[in-house]
Amino acid sequence: MKKHTIAVLVNDQPGVLQRVSGLFGRRGFNIESITVGTSEEAGLSRMVIVTSGDDRLLEQVTKQLYKLIDVIKVIDLSARPMVGRELALIKVNAEPAARPEILGVVETFRAAVVDIGTNTLMVQVVGDTEKIDAMVELMQPYGIRELSRTGVTAMIRGNAG
Amino acid sequence: MVAQNATLRSKEELMEKMSKPEVITGSEMLLRSLVLEGVDCVFGYPGGAVLFIYDAMHGFSDFHHLLTRHEQGAIHAADGYARASGKVGVCIATSGPGATNLVTGIATAYMDSVPLVVITGNVATNFIGTDAFQEADITGITMPITKHSYLVRSVEDLPRIIHEAFHIAGTGRKGPVLIDIPKDVSSHKALFKPVNEVSIRGYNPTVTAKKPQVDKMLKAIEEAERPVILAGGGVVYSGGHEELFEFVTKAGIPITTTLLGLGAFPSGHDLWVGMPGMHGTYTANKAIQGADLLINIGARFDDRVTMKLDGFAPKAKIVHIDIDPAEIGKNVPTAIPIVGDIKTVLQQANKAVKFAAKADVWRAQVAEWKQEKPLSYVDSNVELKPQWVIEMIHETTKGEAIVTTDVGQHQMWAAQYYRFNQPRSWITSGGLGTMGFGFPSAIGAQMAHPDRLVVSINGDGGMQMCAQELAVCAINNIPVKVAIINNQVLGMVRQWQEIIHNNRFSHIDLAGSPDFVKLSEAYGVKAFRAANKEEARDAWIAAMNHPGPAVVEFVVRRDENVYPMVTAGSTIDEMLMGDAE
Ligand SMILES: Cc1ncc(C[n+]2csc(CCOP(=O)(O)OP(=O)(O)O)c2C)c(N)n1
């Protein structure tokens, strides 16, 4: 099973997220992550969806998406060189004694501490999915209290788009 | 025919009156817009959330409105109207229960690509989301079964939305579009200016096919030794039946038509081999399995056609022509995809198509199968056989009726034994297989064609799902002729329980059904019962000669089965042939 990252440009209409996500559920396509936000054009939103499956599945996903009236454009980002980024906030147990170690990891990952509690730290990390996964793994031994990931947003590099 | 309505205004008068810019309510905008879209008949049922719309309809005579007895009746009637006329069907229901009663009908139309504009009322905008009385999120509920939907938020948007809805419903791959109108939107006033253009970014159905793809198909035809055409409902919907005839006869390729494609090609023609699939003909199924080239024209490779997918048309190179690109490759890998409107694509192809010269042996083989194993059943002079009833109806109507059916055995027998020679004369729920569809869809078909003979063939089970619409026929004198094939059971379920579940008959007995003659008469509809051939023919002819609606109940043998039959997990050439083998 291959991972695919697709960008879907949609009319910014109420219900459009429901239409897109509903289509995935109904047709048996899985969604690993979905992010939505405004795009470069007023009135249009860009969704970035990570899904997995073979090429035939990707073709069906694309065609079915195009059937939605509010879908303007579907782009298979993973077919070309792309930049994919995700943000995660990790609230980790951090007794004073453990802090230097945690800060060491944060620094190595070029992450940031964005909040300090009496015995917790909130770490913000940005990067591709693998990097976030690695960071989460490294934080695990200290005890993760809360974890929130945004899902991937992505773009094609340079002029290739 | 419709007694309660005055004659409609002339088109020019209407257009002038309706397109005048004026400050009016949302409800009036709706009615005017419908007239401007060319609507002449609407099916509906009022309620609180559409009170303003119905108020605007008081004394309105610029289109017919038929009050059905159930919203399901209204939407199936609108569906029948659309399938028979080729126009967009329209129905109206109130919010909440009225809207949810439409769901089955919307799904039915969606599965069969039938253009509908479905108008529902909703609670006022400021009540939406509060679980107000009779509130239901009908756009949410119907999202998977509509081509598109709108929740109208402001009266100013209404004219544009209605125009877009008709455009979306009736173009590309057709389908139902829902417009949900909150009560305040239908009561508020604004300046009405008719909308004549649409521009919907992201919606641009491909009509003309890419030439290289068409050329590839033409080359494949020249090279094929065993070509077969599989034609579906898309041919009918595109209006491409004449182009299909030209294509098939020029190429000399045997053709099978799916359930929804019946009538797209004349059944009497030498090259026609019947319907394929689960209850398809021996010839159609053998031909598909033996083919080296299968040209699918506007069919969607439904599993009732393909049966076991990985043994379907195993030797064939597949060409698939469809207006909906998502259909191509969805179920069956396609060698030559052709996206476009069927009529247009066939016009493109007809310019250069050549006779499939290498297929002589194959044509002879197909003709031989057809000769050897036609559809057949064991007739009886004691009991009435359902197949005989269908043949009798075919013969007495000279094959010229518009036939609607419900779902079950009678549907398959009608598909097999009524011979269709014209498109839009066969109306049946193929994709969803909706019981209750048959009779109300006939009302719609009759509204579309007041001067044609409309025959509705139903089972005793399905007839009881929308029998209340007999009132609509009676009160409006809609002269539909209803045949009820009464086998006293849920026949198709009985057949599966016999064949697949070893005669374990579970909850299929319809004892306690009403006396259909008395039921019809109670509604004021003429009715007959027949239990043998002579009675059957006499009753049917009397019904046809009766100027108004009429019902004939045919009491038939209980345990007759539909053959051929392909059971689940088999390939389509593994057919059970039944007694008549
Ligand atoms: C709304 C609905 N419910 C259930 C079914 C399942 N079903 C398919 S055929 C059938 C039996 C139909 O019986 P009847 O109307 O008497 O017709 P017959 O098969 O006897 O001709 C049933 C229950 C269906 N198709 N639609």
Side-chain angles (χ1 to χ4, degrees), chain B residues 350-525:
Chain B
N350 284 341
K351 282 185 209 143
V353 65
K354 293 204 186 79
F355 187 67
K358 292 188 188 164
D360 273 341
V361 179
W362 175 243
R363 273 182 290 265
Q365 167 71 77
V366 171
E368 199 180 304
W369 280 328
K370 227 175 130 175
Q371 186 82 35
E372 272 173 12
K373 296 216 170 150
L375 285 169
S376 65
Y377 63 96
V378 180
D379 201 5
S380 161
N381 281 321
V382 187
E383 296 167 306
L384 202 50
K385 287 285 193 125
Q387 301 93 327
W388 181 89
V389 173
I390 305 288
E391 288 186 319
M392 184 274 293
I393 292 175
H394 177 257
E395 183 198 312
T396 50
T397 58
K398 302 193 193 77
E400 285 167 5
I402 296 176
V403 176
T404 81
T405 77
D406 209 71
V407 171
Q409 291 181 312
H410 65 278
Q411 176 190 31
M412 290 301 120
W413 285 316
Q416 292 176 334
Y417 291 97
Y418 198 99
R419 293 310 183 80
F420 297 92
N421 293 313
Q422 294 170 57
R424 300 199 180 281
S425 52
W426 164 246
I427 292 171
T428 198
S429 166
L432 201 67
T434 307
M435 281 173 76
F437 172 84
F439 171 48
S441 64
I443 295 176
Q446 188 79 77
M447 290 306 289
H449 293 286
D451 301 328
R452 282 188 64 184
L453 176 62
V454 177
V455 170
S456 180
I457 301 174
N458 301 270
D460 45 329
M463 187 64 197
Q464 294 183 58
M465 286 200 178
C466 277
Q468 72 283 352
E469 306 306 337
L470 283 165
V472 179
C473 286
I475 199 74
N476 299 295
N477 197 25
I478 298 173
V480 169
K481 311 302 174 196
V482 181
I484 302 174
I485 311 288
N486 187 352
N487 53 2
Q488 301 97 53
V489 283
L490 293 171
M492 191 55 101
V493 181
R494 202 211 69 87
Q495 173 164 349
W496 284 48
Q497 290 179 349
E498 178 191 318
I499 296 174
I500 298 157
H501 293 275
N502 294 319
N503 293 313
R504 284 162 57 88
F505 296 115
S506 178
H507 301 281
I508 46 150
D509 197 317
L510 287 174
S513 294
D515 176 328
F516 286 108
V517 172
K518 280 194 187 154
L519 178 76
S520 310
E521 285 169 355
Y523 278 111
V525 172

Side-chain angles (χ1 to χ4, degrees), chain A residues 19 26 41 56 60 63 67, chain B residues 144 149 201 324 326 328-329:
Chain A
R19 282 183 208 278
R26 195 159 70 242
E41 196 181 323
R56 237 191 99 195
Q60 260 302 305
K63 285 174 168 178
K67 284 178 70 166
Chain B
S149 53
R201 193 169 161 191
D324 178 359
I328 298 174

Side-chain angles (χ1 to χ4, degrees), chain A residues 9 11 14-15 18-19 26-27 41 44 56 59-60 63-64 66-72, chain B residues 110 140 143-144 147-149 153 168 173 200-203 324-326 328-332:
Chain A
L9 205 61
N11 279 322
Q18 191 187 351
R19 282 183 208 278
R26 195 159 70 242
R27 299 263 172 198
E41 196 181 323
L44 299 188
R56 237 191 99 195
E59 186 186 321
Q60 260 302 305
K63 285 174 168 178
Q64 294 293 343
Y66 270 123
K67 284 178 70 166
L68 298 178
I69 307 293
D70 283 326
V71 168
I72 311 274
Chain B
Y110 183 72
M143 223 165 244
K147 184 171 173 185
H148 193 53
S149 53
R153 281 161 203 275
I168 292 171
R173 179 176 187 166
I200 308 169
R201 193 169 161 191
Y203 180 71
D324 178 359
I328 298 174
K330 186 183 77 177
N331 299 334
V332 174

